[in-house]
């Protein structure tokens, strides 16, 4: 991998990360705020996240490289392009079909009964304190380690992370994929 190619790979991951910053602030910001009490915990969280994103990018690039290595370059490029297009269409369809819809009343405003299932009332306190479920009791000890939470954040169902994986896979190289993952994690 020459210097120009290396710079392009890192830049692609960094630009994808920068484009994802608003999404990450809204989605992962509360997770980080809940797990990290200060700068040291934040650095541990970021270290775990950077390592796992690099591993995920390397895995995506390596798997794609192995799966298309037996194909001619032109055919491999076409197969990857069609596969990525179908994947993105599938994601778009899933998002469109799962979006909540509030039916509009004749006056153009949504009926209160129809929107009550979509809207969550704020500033309400539960009547009794909920008993933690088995899942909560199982997961709670792991939340004490920001490094582990950061490493496990690569498993979250995240569209920005999916984009990073597609970008890493498109490079058809485990090394380039890992670099994209690290650059993505560093800039988000």
């Amino acid at each position: 991998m020459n210097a120009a190619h290396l710079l392009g790979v890192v830049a692609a991951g960094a630009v994808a990360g920068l484009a994802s910053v608003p999404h990450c602030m809204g989605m992962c910001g509360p997770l980080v705020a809940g797990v990290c009490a200060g700068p040291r915990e934040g650095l541990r969280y970021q270290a775990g996240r950077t390592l796992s994103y690099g591993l995920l990018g390397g895995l995506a690039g390596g798997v794609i490289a192995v799966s298309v290595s037996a194909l001619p370059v032109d055919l491999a490029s076409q197969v990857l392009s069609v596969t990525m297009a179908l994947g993105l269409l599938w994601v778009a369809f899933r998002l469109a079909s799962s979006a909540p819809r509030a039916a509009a009343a004749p006056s153009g405003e949504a009926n209160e009964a129809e929107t009550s299932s979509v809207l969550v009332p704020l500033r309400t306190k539960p009547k009794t304190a909920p008993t933690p479920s088995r899942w909560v009791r199982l997961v709670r000890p792991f939340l004490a380690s920001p490094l582990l939470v950061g490493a496990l954040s690569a498993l979250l169902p995240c569209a920005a992370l999916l984009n990073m994986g597609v970008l890493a896979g498109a490079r058809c190289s485990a090394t380039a994929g890992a670099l994209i993952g690290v650059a993505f994690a560093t800039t988000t």
Side-chain angles (χ1 to χ4, degrees):
M1 191 179 318
N2 63 26
H5 185 254
L6 179 66
L7 182 62
V9 165
V10 171
V15 168
L18 288 173
S20 302
V21 165
H23 165 81
C24 296
M25 284 176 24
M27 298 302 288
C28 294
L31 175 68
V32 175
V35 171
C36 302
R40 285 187 179 180
E41 287 86 3
L43 287 174
R44 288 186 196 122
Y45 175 84
Q46 185 66 12
R49 203 169 68 88
T50 302
L51 289 172
S52 66
Y53 284 19
L55 180 67
L56 187 66
L59 184 66
V63 166
I64 297 297
V66 168
S67 64
V68 299
S69 63
L71 299 175
V73 175
D74 290 339
L75 180 60
S77 175
Q78 291 172 354
V79 167
L80 284 175
S81 295
V82 169
T83 303
M84 288 195 309
L86 289 174
L88 291 173
L89 286 172
W90 178 74
V91 168
F93 175 75
R94 293 285 309 236
L95 287 172
S97 65
S98 68
R101 292 179 181 82
S107 64
E109 296 182 18
N111 185 348
E112 183 178 332
E114 293 167 341
T115 59
S116 65
S117 64
V118 177
L119 300 177
V120 176
L122 300 177
R123 298 181 191 209
T124 59
K125 294 183 180 179
K127 294 178 177 129
T128 61
T131 305
S133 67
R134 275 187 266 162
W135 176 251
V136 170
R137 289 191 304 268
L138 177 70
V139 171
R140 191 173 283 153
F142 295 106
L143 295 178
S145 171
L147 180 70
L148 183 61
V149 173
L152 293 176
S153 69
L155 301 176
L156 292 173
C158 173
L161 192 56
L162 179 65
N163 288 333
M164 184 278 296
V166 168
L167 185 62
R171 290 295 180 167
C172 293
S173 161
T175 305
L179 287 172
I180 286 173
V182 168
F184 180 87
T186 304
T187 56
T188 54

